[in-house]
Amino acid sequence: MPAASALASFVIVANRLPVDRVQGPDGEETWRPSPGGLVAALEPVMHAVDGAWVGWPGQPDVELAPFTEDGMRLIPVTLSESEVQEYYEGFANDTIWPLYHDVIAPPQYHREWWDAYVRVNRRFAERAAEAVAEGGTVWVHDYQLQLVPAMLREQRPDLTIGYFHHIPFPAHGLYAQLPWRNQVLEGLLGADVVGFQRAQDATNFLAAVRRRLTHDVKGSAVSIDEDGARRTVVARAFPISIDTVPYTELAARPDVRARAAEIREGLGNPKKILLGVDRLDYTKGIRHRIKAFGELLDQGRLSVEDVTLVQVASPSRERVDAYVQLRDEIELSVARINGDHDTMDHTAIRYLHQGFPREEMVAMYLAADAMLVTALRDGMNLVAKEYVATRADNRGVLVLSEFTGAADELRQAVLVNPHDIEDLKDAIMRAVEMPAAEQSRRMRALRRRVLENDVRAWSRDFLAALDEVRNSR
Ligand code: G6P
């Protein structure tokens, strides 16, 4: 146990630390912000409280003592190369990820992966238990760590424990495939509050608990009998959002606005720029989006002189087979469409398999006349909210898949079923042709929603729910 003074009253536990350890061009080790929406959402929360963050530094076999970065106390968890393969790439990203995203890709079930998942979850729980003060609060995040709440409660019954699930929770008919379905539910029920993105996710979870376990379920409360004492777990939706401030600030900066104009110029000044921004992941519907755009060009409904699609696909989980295959498929179709339609001055699809700093992303959002979010399934989709946050000019169109958590809130977007390519094509045409007055009416309503419900409101609501449980004990 560290000295008492080193104990934190608030601890976040997430698979990744907010920074990743990476090798610089000269082989030197440096840190950069880690990928994905989770870190972007939690960073402002952490800056607001004096807490510690337990997580993996993003590389195998890195053994590091706790350190402070950007004012945050970080506690690294070491994963061996085989644990990265079996726990992270295997169970988290080739079993749970595809299963929970409605089996868009087939989940792989391997007992050794499960064993590694249990072992690594225990390690995270131990690190958190060592870091947190008596009676403190631990907030566990996401599908990589579903067993941590119960493991932590077993070691430290004095704690208040929250868990937030950033991805969808599937219907029982799919969830029931999981060979370890009961253990995972029991793991999550170690928390006092289990938070989900959408009401439907919470409903699916509660239905699974009702079907598979013997606890009483009433409304959003699960009542657990622990050696004669009753404990209540609350499971409900807390839709996550973004920190809107850096987006509105960057969008107002003259240099960022100038960069947006430069981007348009660099693309040959097309009348309309369409934008897609995703991790390169099969849940994001990138192939469907590209197919729809390609067909519109083939049919002459759009031309490359008038419209360019910019697709940012940031590299992700590059050693998992499904991701390797997806990259090949996307790059083949981009090359075909560009080969058929490009001219010397205009390109159909400007494809960027890279990540970009936030400033450059905001410049792209400002340059984009329409943002295409066509995920087949997505817990929330924060890119949709980022786009809206930057558009203080009330221009631009958000085309948004019905299968994202964001669609529950952002009703004034042009909502689409990305499986229906004709619907997707019509939505793209609507976005390209939408009159300024309609853009403005929709964007105003979207902005109100996003600016009023930012990530601070999200964490405040979640932590208030945790407080309520603590006070009722
Ligand atoms: C999603 C998940 C996060 C994850 C992120 C990036 O947003 O909800 O938990 O960190 O993707 O994925 P990666 O596998 O690179 O951490």
Side-chain angles (χ1 to χ4, degrees):
M1 283 284 269
S5 62
L7 298 181
S9 59
F10 182 79
V11 174
I12 283 183
V13 189
N15 177 52
R16 283 184 186 275
L17 286 174
V19 284
D20 260 1
R21 196 167 163 86
V22 286
Q23 288 223 321
D26 306 322
E28 80 285 6
E29 300 286 343
T30 57
W31 296 94
R32 66 153 187 233
S34 14
L38 184 148
V39 165
L42 284 176
E43 233 178 340
V45 181
M46 268 303 273
H47 281 292
V49 293
D50 173 30
W53 185 315
V54 176
W56 171 53
Q59 268 186 13
D61 298 311
V62 174
E63 296 199 22
L64 284 174
F67 63 103
T68 299
E69 167 88 12
D70 197 12
M72 287 186 278
R73 186 136 38 109
L74 305 186
I75 303 176
V77 176
T78 305
L79 298 184
S80 68
E81 175 58 44
S82 73
E83 285 168 346
V84 171
Q85 282 169 22
E86 295 181 346
Y87 148 79
Y88 167 72
E89 293 170 339
F91 198 79
N93 288 322
D94 217 3
T95 304
I96 295 291
W97 181 270
L99 177 64
Y100 284 25
H101 286 88
D102 290 353
V103 190
I104 295 167
Q108 312 293 324
Y109 301 115
H110 295 296
R111 285 162 287 183
E112 318 79 68
W113 291 3
W114 165 254
D115 293 343
Y117 187 77
V118 174
R119 192 166 67 243
V120 171
N121 270 244
R122 183 155 294 122
R123 190 171 311 147
F124 275 83
E126 279 163 7
R127 285 302 92 76
E130 286 160 11
V132 63
E134 176 75 24
T137 298
V138 179
W139 194 0
V140 182
H141 288 268
D142 228 356
Y143 64 101
Q144 302 93 343
L145 301 175
Q146 295 171 100
L147 307 180
V148 170
M151 290 173 169
L152 202 49
R153 178 166 301 281
E154 205 180 293
Q155 293 179 51
R156 293 287 303 270
D158 58 297
L159 301 175
T160 304
I161 303 170
Y163 171 90
F164 187 76
H165 193 76
H166 293 250
I167 70 172
F169 196 91
H172 183 257
L174 291 175
Y175 183 73
Q177 287 185 10
L178 186 66
W180 308 278
R181 54 203 184 181
N182 290 15
Q183 292 98 309
V184 167
L185 295 177
E186 293 287 13
L188 293 168
L189 289 170
D192 295 295
V193 176
V194 183
F196 295 92
Q197 301 282 25
R198 300 176 310 152
Q200 186 61 54
D201 299 317
T203 303
N204 289 346
F205 170 73
L206 289 163
V209 170
R210 203 177 282 121
R211 288 280 292 268
R212 312 220 60 82
L213 306 176
T214 55
H215 310 303
D216 284 345
V217 180
K218 273 208 189 71
S220 59
V222 183
S223 174
I224 295 181
D225 188 351
E226 267 168 1
D227 307 324
R230 289 240 154 233
R231 186 167 70 81
T232 300
V233 181
V234 173
R236 66 172 180 87
F238 299 85
I240 203 170
S241 192
I242 56 164
D243 184 6
T244 53
V245 176
Y247 289 94
T248 50
E249 282 179 3
L250 282 168
R253 250 171 52 184
D255 57 326
V256 177
R257 305 189 69 80
R259 176 67 191 138
E262 207 176 276
I263 288 172
R264 180 173 290 271
E265 193 127 324
L267 293 167
N269 272 318
K271 291 197 187 101
K272 299 281 177 179
I273 296 174
L274 310 176
L275 177 64
V277 176
D278 313 86
R279 274 185 312 100
L280 204 159
D281 194 296
Y282 50 79
T283 59
K284 303 290 183 182
I286 305 171
R287 281 189 300 126
H288 297 64
R289 184 184 314 161
I290 287 173
K291 187 177 177 63
F293 183 64
E295 286 189 16
L296 289 171
L297 292 171
D298 290 343
Q299 292 171 337
R301 290 170 75 185
L302 293 176
S303 85
V304 287
E305 276 79 30
D306 295 338
V307 182
T308 292
L309 168 62
V310 176
Q311 176 63 54
V312 175
S314 53
S316 189
R317 306 175 191 165
E318 291 189 280
R319 300 196 304 187
V320 179
D321 280 350
Y323 291 74
V324 175
Q325 256 184 45
L326 177 74
R327 183 174 175 194
D328 285 347
E329 286 168 19
I330 288 176
E331 293 184 355
L332 184 65
S333 51
V334 168
R336 282 210 174 132
I337 291 169
N338 282 346
D340 285 345
H341 295 282
D342 277 10
T343 65
M344 284 301 175
D345 304 318
H346 295 277
T347 187
I349 305 175
R350 174 64 53 86
Y351 168 78
L352 302 153
H353 183 244
Q354 301 160 43
F356 292 93
R358 193 183 271 164
E359 271 178 47
E360 183 72 357
M361 290 317 310
V362 171
M364 285 189 213
Y365 293 148
L366 290 177
D369 299 285
M371 178 82 210
L372 308 182
V373 177
T374 59
L376 306 175
R377 182 52 87 197
D378 206 334
M380 176 52 66
N381 197 287
L382 295 179
V383 163
K385 294 189 172 180
E386 289 172 8
Y387 179 64
V388 169
T390 61
R391 300 310 306 232
D393 57 354
N394 292 319
R395 285 295 158 79
V397 182
L398 175 64
V399 174
L400 181 62
S401 161
E402 292 165 23
F403 298 95
T404 62
D408 280 10
E409 294 176 76
L410 304 182
R411 306 304 297 173
Q412 295 80 8
V414 175
L415 295 173
V416 281
N417 171 7
H419 296 280
D420 179 349
I421 300 295
E422 291 304 324
D423 186 35
L424 200 46
K425 285 159 66 180
D426 291 343
I428 293 173
M429 290 310 295
R430 241 180 115 188
V432 167
E433 289 165 356
M434 190 179 286
E438 185 180 349
Q439 291 182 30
S440 163
R441 186 167 47 72
R442 287 173 181 264
M443 190 54 84
R444 263 177 226 281
L446 292 171
R447 285 179 61 73
R448 207 172 308 125
R449 176 83 205 189
V450 170
L451 296 179
E452 280 170 11
N453 295 282
D454 77 347
V455 75
R456 282 180 188 80
W458 167 75
S459 56
R460 199 180 50 229
D461 287 354
F462 188 91
L463 295 174
L466 263 187
D467 268 349
E468 214 170 288
V469 175
R470 183 190 292 120
N471 298 337
S472 68
R473 277 205 203 114

